[in-house]
Amino acid sequence: MANHSQLGFQDASSPIMEELVEFHDHALIVALAICSLVLYLLAHMLTEKLSSNAVDAQEVELIWTILPAIVLVLLALPSLQILYMMDEIDEPDLTLKAIGHQWYWSYEYTDFKDLSFDSYMVPTTDLPNGHFRLLEVDHRVVIPMESPIRVIITAGDVLHSWAVPTLGVKTDAIPGRLNQTSFIATRPGIFYGQCSEICGANHSYMPIVVESTPLPYFEAWSSLLSSS
């Protein structure tokens, strides 16, 4: 999860987030090269006397017309690839339905007969030692690691947004509409997120906690919760 004085992204825990971090680094290198070139040209123009040949050169005009087009292509191709990857949902192993309310989340495991619960933020007064304030919930979303997960997201009242940064997931929850996204958790762990759409007075009090576990632990958890 994020910490104080952190400058970069959180550690990626899904293939999509790994691609997003790599694209960010790629775009940053391109931006750095552009800024360096512009600064060099500015310094050169301020310190050197340009001849009439340099000012009127058609070759220079051709370069500064074609070069930006090449840069845009270098940025557009990986960006489009990631967009298609994020939109692709192919035979998920588990489907989870997330419903946003003011101000909590409801979850339904649609592959199970009767497995659903509400997830509320744990108040600061009831928070155990070592847990994170404003981020811990009474019921976590438990998923099997290294399995394709489909999340169907909607809302019961106003606009919400289901977002878990380390998984590279952020999808709006809209009343009367079903949006869907998918991810694969590549490692076990506990991943924190929050509602990312201003939804009212307690908008900052509806966190999301996703716990990724090996498949045997998930099966034991789901069996225990279904029988209770």
Side-chain angles (χ1 to χ4, degrees):
M1 62 172 295
N3 53 64
H4 297 291
S5 73
Q6 179 175 335
L7 298 179
F9 290 100
Q10 300 181 29
D11 293 337
S13 301
S14 71
I16 292 295
M17 190 58 190
E18 292 175 1
E19 292 289 338
L20 290 172
V21 172
E22 289 182 4
F23 176 69
H24 168 267
D25 296 341
H26 168 72
L28 206 60
I29 293 298
V30 173
L32 181 62
I34 294 173
C35 292
S36 300
L37 178 61
V38 171
L39 287 175
Y40 169 77
L41 293 176
L42 285 174
H44 184 72
M45 292 176 63
L46 292 174
T47 56
E48 299 290 338
K49 184 177 180 181
L50 298 179
S51 64
S52 59
N53 293 332
V55 175
D56 300 330
Q58 293 184 355
E59 292 82 2
V60 176
E61 295 180 3
L62 187 63
I63 290 173
W64 73 43
T65 301
I66 295 178
L67 193 60
I70 297 175
V71 171
L72 289 177
V73 171
L74 292 176
L75 291 175
L77 290 179
S79 175
L80 290 174
Q81 180 185 11
I82 295 174
L83 284 175
Y84 278 106
M85 290 175 60
M86 294 175 69
D87 196 48
E88 184 177 355
I89 300 175
D90 186 22
E91 296 183 359
D93 292 343
L94 179 69
T95 298
L96 172 70
K97 185 177 182 181
I99 307 171
H101 304 278
Q102 289 182 309
W103 287 273
Y104 65 95
W105 292 96
S106 297
Y107 296 101
E108 301 175 6
Y109 288 76
T110 59
D111 298 300
F112 295 83
K113 183 177 181 180
D114 187 18
L115 182 53
S116 61
F117 52 85
D118 296 331
S119 180
Y120 291 86
M121 186 194 74
V122 177
T124 304
T125 54
D126 301 333
L127 198 65
N129 291 332
H131 288 237
F132 297 105
R133 176 178 171 269
L134 301 183
L135 287 176
E136 194 56 68
V137 296
D138 56 356
H139 291 94
R140 294 173 175 173
V141 176
V142 181
I143 59 168
M145 60 177 288
E146 296 181 342
S147 299
I149 309 297
R150 174 174 59 187
V151 186
I152 299 175
I153 302 167
T154 186
D157 37 44
V158 299
L159 291 175
H160 300 278
S161 184
W162 202 81
V164 183
T166 188
L167 295 174
V169 175
K170 183 181 183 295
T171 304
D172 288 342
I174 303 173
R177 177 174 177 176
L178 295 177
N179 290 332
Q180 66 177 358
T181 186
S182 65
F183 62 87
I184 301 174
T186 55
R187 60 187 174 91
I190 300 173
F191 313 125
Y192 295 91
Q194 289 178 303
C195 175
S196 297
E197 191 75 50
I198 298 177
C199 56
N202 293 332
H203 155 68
S204 58
Y205 300 122
M206 47 185 305
I208 302 159
V209 182
V210 178
E211 184 174 352
S212 173
T213 64
L215 183 58
Y217 290 92
F218 171 77
E219 292 175 341
W221 172 84
S222 59
S223 300
L224 180 64
L225 204 63
S226 298
S227 60
S228 62

